[in-house]
Amino acid sequence: MNPPWRTERPSTPAERFLHSVLEAAERNGRDIWLYGGYALEAHVGHRLREHRDVDFIAEAASWPAIERRVRGPQYEFRYAFPTALHVYGAGLCLADVLLVEEHPDGFPCVRSPLGANPLPRGSLAQGRSFTIWGHRVRLVTPECLFVMKASGNFTATAGAELRDKDRRDLALLRGMLSEVAIQRLASCFRIVSAPTQSGM
């Protein structure tokens, strides 16, 4: 796989932050997974737009060790709710991070104040991977991208209109998935009981 945004070295502040996270995750023997625009471009094989920030998923249990390795005066970590955060540098949002746990019923989920937002089974384990800037990075599956885009990445206000770019992305993802798969994914648009504190 050769994503369309692949460069010899990180070229934006967001990509430099991603590079440091990949390095820290590798040193801790953990993975992170791209979602959002970077991941969608890797799946479709061509550029869609310029990116101001990068979206990725990490395991809730392993994130604190990764964050400790990348923390510095140039970054500000703002937690939005129990398992979502935004990383800022020089006044710009560099990354949106979702922290996942394994639900007792066997699928990854994102904890929220109301419970847990489920991701489709296999969203992380079955995602493709590639090497960039000397480090392995994994993608979430198209099914996971579809659920996240259709739900406003779990951070939009309930009932809020989707952004134009999310509508365009959803149209691309619909072209990659069967109608049967899309109907099956509808079960992911609900809050489930929160996982136990043991998590992952």
Side-chain angles (χ1 to χ4, degrees), residues 3-156:
W5 42 267
R6 188 177 206 161
T7 55
E8 187 175 327
R9 59 182 60 87
S11 59
T12 68
E15 289 176 1
R16 286 190 283 277
F17 177 72
L18 173 62
H19 179 260
S20 66
V21 168
L22 289 171
E23 188 172 58
E26 190 173 88
R27 288 186 180 200
N28 283 280
R30 305 311 249 168
D31 283 316
I32 67 157
W33 294 263
L34 289 181
Y35 74 95
Y38 277 103
L40 182 57
E41 286 182 350
H43 280 296
V44 301
H46 60 82
R47 289 300 296 259
L48 298 171
R49 55 183 170 264
E50 291 301 313
H51 303 288
R52 290 176 297 181
D53 61 4
V54 61
D55 305 310
F56 64 87
I57 288 174
E59 295 170 327
S62 61
W63 175 251
I66 295 170
E67 185 177 317
R68 280 194 297 274
R69 285 187 179 272
V70 299
R71 261 196 182 278
Q74 73 275 37
Y75 298 131
E76 178 187 356
F77 294 77
R78 299 182 194 172
Y79 280 79
F81 60 80
T83 48
L85 65 140
H86 309 290
V87 182
Y88 286 81
L92 302 172
C93 183
L94 304 179
D96 292 325
V97 185
L98 287 178
L99 305 178
V100 298
E101 301 179 16
E102 185 75 14
H103 193 273
D105 290 340
F107 52 81
C109 63
V110 180
R111 186 185 293 274
S112 77
L114 298 178
N117 295 290
L119 298 176
R121 290 181 194 277
S123 288
L124 309 181
Q126 296 171 14
R128 298 161 72 185
S129 66
F130 58 92
T131 301
I132 188 167
W133 312 316
H135 302 287
R136 184 175 86 141
V137 64
R138 300 187 67 174
L139 303 174
V140 299
T141 61
E143 291 83 356
C144 182
L145 279 176
F146 180 85
V147 166
M148 296 183 80
K149 284 286 179 183
S151 64
N153 292 337
F154 306 137
T155 59

